[in-house]
């Protein structure tokens, strides 16, 4: 019948149908927005999604062999309270019982749950780091504790603390300042972040990805859905460090309880095999209930145990700087290495008498013997009369002094390479010849860190190259153990100094061991060593100096088979010239595969007391 209608009639019917549908939709929209709008608005206010974060475990940290964990996660719990689930008349009773189980004052809970939120159905965390036995007690009394629940919150457990504390660092709750910086990277107000050391440097790898539990709740926060949607957390990546745990322990025992630091690295790659700074601290205190008080004590400790002396303190390099002086003299052809300078034990300059460390004098010395005997008069003369401060400063910077070593730790100092311009700006005084003489023997304004001195001796070993020192070796997947990232050697500095110069400096450093001042403490039957000592004068310490030793071994091996060591024992310790002994023990232990006790016995140092105390 429709087909028999005229065309105009068909168009009219179609238009009427469309008009009817249009008014039908308008009426429906009017009904939803105006007639039933208030109901829909109320419903939207009373039903929403609640998302709870499930914390992810941080990645674990291992030594270079990837077998011995340094840091793991220990199962722990956080106790939470949903205030709205506690009947108002039972609030004080419930919170008092809970405080008793947790071993805290009720006031602590009341401060976290003020009266303004006691009808809320959002969970509030009242205590973290709760052990399993406490959770068991709470669970057994759950009927008397409405609104109380708990979630798993792993705690960092540092298995090997002591000297590793400065390397690995520690974690803590994120601060408002950190949150401002890290918010866009997925961090939340409940995040645990690295504060120092590797924990901070590689926090993005270790952090992991939190999971989520999504539930439908009403306006009060009460869950109204039976089955929440759960996205499981993903554990952070595992880190493999370049640190060798056996060498770290050897260095730790060799330094003993003497204030100072020691660094062992592979010169051909920049891998740090050990880094010890004493005194140290226990990283586990930062997850204890008394962490604030314990941290305050560490901050106020005059021995500064929180400071990593290997990279965060700089010292006068003393006579170890004569390595740089010798290199500069040879490369500049400033003074023939075979020509001799007479040392009479003192040098008169500018109306002042400068005394060599051997007051009776060394007699006539060429460069090789000047270095071996560490003659101050020889280097005073070379520095003042033949090199000058500008060239001295230039070569010091070429060896890495006065700038960051770029090691993968979050905090380090650059030391100081002084110049005439620097002194004018700093003290408004002219540079004097006496200043040049002081710098020529690594005293005065010159400062460097133990790591910078390790790099200095590595440059000699590598004949002009310094590789960027690093502690991270690999990043691995925690599930498959697949290597995600591998740290490759990176050239930090490449010198243009002639190979013949390096050969002559190397020979002089070996001669220093066989015929120089440290020949007894550095005597070693297992391996040939090349080294230089240093004793730095320090104001305020009578008859005591910083004791330095920088060395590489084996002298007769290619750079890829060598290790470099830099050790400092501060002047605050009882003077015993310990740095040479400690360094030889370290080298003996590494190449003879011996423990500290075995090494001192093999070296004939058995009479030495490894627990000799520092000066208080």
């Amino acid at each position: 019948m429709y087909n028999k209608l005229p065309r105009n009639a068909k168009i009219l019917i179609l238009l009427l149908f469309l008009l009817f549908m249009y008014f039908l939709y308008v009426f429906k929209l009017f009904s939803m927005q105006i007639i039933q709008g208030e109901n829909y608005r109320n419903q939207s206010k009373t039903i929403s999604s609640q998302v709870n974060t499930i914390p992810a475990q941080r990645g674990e940290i291992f030594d270079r062999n990837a077998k011995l964990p340094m840091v793991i996660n220990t199962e722990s719990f956080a106790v939470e309270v949903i205030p709205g689930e506690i009947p108002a008349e039972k609030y004080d009773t419930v919170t008092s019982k809970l405080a008793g189980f947790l071993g805290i004052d009720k006031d602590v809970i009341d401060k976290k749950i003020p009266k303004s939120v006691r009808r809320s159905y959002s969970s509030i965390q009242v205590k973290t780091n709760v052990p399993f036995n406490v959770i068991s007690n709470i669970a057994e009394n759950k009927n008397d504790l409405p609104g109380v629940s708990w979630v798993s919150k792993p705690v960092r457990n540092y298995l090997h603390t002591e000297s590793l504390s400065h390397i690995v660092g520690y974690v803590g709750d994120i601060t408002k300042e950190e949150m401002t910086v890290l918010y866009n990277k997925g961090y939340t107000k409940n995040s645990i972040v690295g504060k120092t050391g590797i924990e901070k440097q590689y926090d993005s790898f270790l952090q992991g990805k939190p999971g989520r539990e999504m539930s439908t709740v009403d306006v009060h926060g009460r869950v109204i859905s039976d089955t929440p949607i759960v996205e499981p957390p993903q554990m952070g990546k595992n880190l493999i460090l370049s640190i060798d745990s056996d060498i770290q322990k050897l260095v730790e025992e060799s330094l003993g309880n003497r204030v100072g630091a020691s660094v062992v690295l592979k010169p051909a790659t920049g891998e740090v095999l050990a880094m010890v700074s004493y005194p140290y601290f226990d990283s586990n205190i930062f997850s204890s209930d008394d962490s604030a008080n314990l941290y305050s004590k560490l901050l106020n400790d005059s021995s500064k145990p929180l400071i990593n002396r290997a990279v965060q303190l700089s010292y006068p390099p003393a006579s170890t700087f004569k390595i740089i002086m010798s290199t500069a003299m040879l490369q500049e052809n400033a003074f023939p290495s075979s020509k001799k300078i007479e040392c009479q034990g003192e040098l008169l300059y500018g109306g002042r008498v400068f005394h060599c460390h051997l007051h009776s004098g060394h007699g006539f010395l060429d460069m090789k013997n000047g270095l071996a005997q560490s003659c101050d008069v020889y280097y005073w003369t070379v520095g003042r009369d033949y090199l000058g401060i500008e060239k001295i400063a230039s070569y010091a910077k070429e060896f890495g002094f006065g700038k960051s070593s770029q090691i993968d730790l979050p905090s380090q100092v650059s030391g100081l390479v002084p110049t005439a311009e620097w002194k004018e700006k700093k003290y408004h005084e002219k540079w004097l010849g006496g200043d040049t003489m002081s710098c020529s023997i690594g005293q005065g304004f010159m400062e460097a860190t133990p790591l910078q001195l390790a790099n200095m001796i590595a440059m000699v070993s590598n004949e002009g190259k310094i590789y960027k020192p690093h502690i991270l070796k690999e990043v691995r997947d925690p599930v498959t153990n697949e290597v995600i990232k591998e740290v490759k050697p990176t050239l930090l500095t490449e010198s243009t100094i002639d190979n013949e110069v390096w050969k002559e400096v190397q020979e002089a450093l070996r001669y220093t061991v066989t015929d120089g001042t440290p020949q007894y403490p550095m005597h070693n039957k297992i391996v040939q060593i090349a080294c230089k000592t240093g004793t730095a004068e320090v104001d305020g310490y009578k008859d005591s100096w910083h004791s330095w030793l920088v060395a590489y071994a084996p002298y007769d091996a290619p750079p890829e088979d060598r290790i470099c060591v830099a050790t400092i024992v501060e002047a605050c310790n009882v003077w015993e010239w310990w740095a040479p002994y400690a360094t030889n023990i370290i080298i003996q232990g590494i190449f003879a595969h011996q423990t500290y006790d075995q090494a001192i016995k093999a070296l004939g140092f058995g009479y030495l007391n490894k627990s000799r105390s520092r000066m208080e």
Side-chain angles (χ1 to χ4, degrees):
M1 180 177 179
Y2 175 79
N3 292 331
K4 294 179 179 181
L5 292 174
R7 182 182 178 189
N8 290 340
K10 291 180 180 179
I11 293 173
L12 180 62
I13 293 172
L14 182 60
L15 289 173
L16 290 173
F17 175 76
L18 293 174
L19 188 63
F20 171 76
M21 293 300 296
Y22 171 76
F23 280 110
L24 181 65
Y25 278 113
V26 169
F27 176 77
K28 183 65 175 176
L29 290 171
F30 177 81
S31 175
M32 292 176 65
Q33 294 183 25
I34 306 301
I35 300 175
Q36 301 180 51
E38 189 64 27
N39 290 334
Y40 283 115
R41 281 190 288 274
N42 289 336
Q43 187 175 1
S44 68
K45 290 179 181 178
T46 57
I47 300 177
S48 62
S49 292
Q50 176 177 286
V51 179
N52 293 320
T53 300
I54 305 173
Q57 289 196 3
R58 286 178 73 84
E60 297 179 339
I61 302 175
F62 296 79
D63 82 335
R64 69 181 294 107
N65 299 310
K67 294 180 180 179
L68 183 64
M70 297 175 173
V71 186
I72 61 173
N73 300 298
T74 300
E75 188 67 22
S76 183
F77 300 87
V79 172
E80 299 178 340
V81 172
I82 300 177
E85 293 184 354
I86 305 176
E89 68 277 7
K90 291 185 177 181
Y91 176 82
D92 287 333
T93 302
V94 171
T95 54
S96 293
K97 284 184 178 180
L98 179 60
F101 284 121
L102 296 178
I104 59 177
D105 292 334
K106 180 179 178 297
D107 291 344
V108 174
I109 298 178
D110 290 340
K111 287 180 181 178
K112 294 191 175 184
I113 311 176
K115 290 184 179 180
S116 59
V117 301
R118 289 183 185 174
R119 303 318 310 152
S120 169
Y121 282 85
S122 296
S123 62
I124 297 172
Q125 201 169 94
V126 296
K127 193 174 190 306
T128 59
N129 197 20
V130 180
F132 179 75
N133 63 312
V134 173
I135 297 299
S136 296
N137 291 336
I138 293 174
E140 290 173 2
N141 294 271
K142 189 69 174 66
N143 292 336
D144 298 327
L145 298 169
V148 177
S149 61
W150 53 89
V151 294
S152 174
K153 193 170 184 179
V155 171
R156 218 56 170 150
N157 185 5
Y158 300 94
L159 301 180
H160 303 274
T161 56
E162 298 177 321
S163 67
L164 286 171
S165 59
H166 292 113
I167 298 173
V168 175
Y170 57 89
V171 298
D173 294 327
I174 194 169
T175 64
K176 290 181 179 179
E177 294 77 13
E178 290 168 332
M179 188 62 191
T180 301
V181 176
L182 299 172
Y183 177 76
N184 291 328
K185 296 183 178 180
Y187 289 74
T188 69
K189 64 180 180 179
N190 293 322
S191 292
I192 300 296
V193 298
K195 299 293 184 178
T196 63
I198 291 297
E199 290 276 28
K200 180 177 181 178
Q201 184 75 18
Y202 294 109
D203 190 79
S204 59
F205 283 125
L206 293 165
Q207 190 65 223
K209 183 180 179 181
R212 297 191 301 171
E213 183 181 73
M214 293 166 283
S215 305
T216 304
V217 297
D218 63 16
V219 69
H220 298 292
R222 287 180 291 218
V223 177
I224 60 176
S225 61
D226 295 331
T227 307
I229 300 172
V230 177
E231 293 180 3
Q234 298 176 18
M235 183 177 176
K237 304 297 186 291
N238 289 342
L239 302 185
I240 312 300
L241 305 187
S242 63
I243 299 296
D244 186 305
S245 294
D246 291 334
I247 297 177
Q248 182 78 12
K249 183 178 179 181
L250 173 67
V251 175
E252 182 181 300
E253 292 186 321
S254 298
L255 188 62
N257 59 346
R258 301 168 181 86
V259 176
S262 187
V263 178
V264 181
L265 58 79
K266 296 183 70 173
T269 63
E271 292 175 275
V272 177
L273 300 178
M275 179 182 286
V276 173
S277 174
Y278 183 87
Y280 26 74
F281 59 93
D282 185 350
S283 299
N284 289 307
I285 67 171
F286 295 97
S287 60
S288 69
D289 293 333
D290 196 27
S291 60
N293 182 47
L294 293 171
Y295 179 62
S296 179
K297 288 182 178 179
L298 289 173
L299 279 177
N300 295 319
D301 190 329
S302 60
S303 65
K304 301 179 180 179
L306 290 172
I307 291 180
N308 183 351
R309 285 167 159 79
V311 295
Q312 292 179 312
L313 278 185
S314 57
Y315 307 84
S319 292
T320 63
F321 191 73
K322 292 169 183 174
I323 295 174
I324 297 177
M325 290 292 295
S326 300
T327 307
M329 186 190 83
L330 293 171
Q331 180 65 20
E332 292 292 323
N333 293 312
F335 189 81
S337 61
S338 59
K339 189 174 180 179
K340 295 182 179 181
I341 294 174
E342 183 182 10
C343 171
Q344 297 180 350
E346 62 184 33
L347 187 64
L348 179 64
Y349 181 76
R352 175 186 168 190
V353 178
F354 290 79
H355 291 283
C356 186
H357 70 87
L358 185 63
H359 287 194
S360 61
H362 291 101
F364 287 92
L365 297 171
D366 58 10
M367 189 212 77
K368 182 172 69 172
N369 284 284
L371 188 66
Q373 300 304 320
S374 200
C375 178
D376 294 333
V377 170
Y378 183 93
Y379 287 96
W380 282 332
T381 304
V382 169
R384 184 195 63 191
D385 299 342
Y386 299 97
L387 283 173
I389 189 57
E390 295 305 323
K391 286 183 179 178
I392 293 172
S394 176
Y395 278 88
K397 291 175 182 177
E398 189 164 353
F399 273 84
F401 284 24
K403 54 188 176 183
S404 172
S405 298
Q406 298 187 32
I407 190 172
D408 49 346
L409 287 173
S411 179
Q412 55 195 288
V413 298
S414 299
L416 175 63
V417 176
T419 62
E421 182 182 2
W422 168 85
K423 187 183 179 185
E424 182 69 34
K425 289 182 179 179
K426 178 76 174 178
Y427 297 106
H428 306 291
E429 296 177 358
K430 293 184 65 175
W431 187 269
L432 303 175
D435 295 323
T436 302
M437 291 170 64
S438 293
C439 286
S440 297
I441 61 168
Q443 292 281 172
F445 302 116
M446 188 74 68
E447 290 185 357
T449 67
L451 178 60
Q452 287 174 324
L453 263 66
N455 279 340
M456 176 188 73
I457 197 68
M459 192 173 194
V460 177
S461 171
N462 291 335
E463 298 183 3
K465 294 180 180 179
I466 297 177
Y467 287 91
K468 185 177 178 180
H470 60 91
I471 293 175
L472 180 65
K473 187 170 181 279
E474 294 173 350
V475 179
R476 294 190 184 183
D477 186 280
V479 178
T480 65
N481 204 35
E482 177 188 357
V483 176
I484 299 170
K485 174 183 172 68
E486 182 179 1
V487 179
K488 302 288 187 181
T490 303
L491 196 61
L492 184 64
T493 300
E494 185 167 16
S495 171
T496 57
I497 295 171
D498 298 335
N499 288 339
E500 293 77 11
V501 171
W502 293 120
K503 295 296 184 183
E504 189 166 354
V505 173
Q506 289 175 345
E507 290 172 2
L509 290 174
R510 175 58 186 160
Y511 182 76
T512 298
V513 174
T514 59
D515 292 80
T517 53
Q519 56 182 303
Y520 173 70
M522 294 305 295
H523 177 69
N524 193 302
K525 297 178 180 178
I526 294 293
V527 61
Q528 292 185 21
I529 303 171
C531 83
K532 183 69 190 80
T533 57
T535 49
E537 293 183 23
V538 184
D539 291 338
Y541 290 97
K542 185 180 180 181
D543 299 326
S544 191
W545 306 264
H546 291 330
S547 174
W548 277 109
L549 196 289
V550 294
Y552 71 85
Y555 168 75
D556 54 349
E560 56 268 24
D561 295 332
R562 292 173 178 162
I563 57 107
C564 291
V565 185
T567 302
I568 184 172
V569 177
E570 291 188 16
C572 60
N573 300 277
V574 175
W575 175 248
E576 52 184 343
W577 202 37
W578 185 251
Y581 292 95
T583 303
N584 200 6
I585 294 167
I586 292 166
I587 293 173
Q588 173 74 20
I590 291 173
F591 289 102
H593 306 289
Q594 294 174 339
T595 63
Y596 170 83
D597 291 324
Q598 292 170 334
I600 61 170
K601 184 177 180 180
L603 292 169
F605 297 163
Y607 65 93
L608 297 172
N609 181 5
K610 74 173 182 177
S611 62
R612 191 172 298 174
S613 299
R614 62 182 174 89
M615 293 176 65
E616 298 295 341

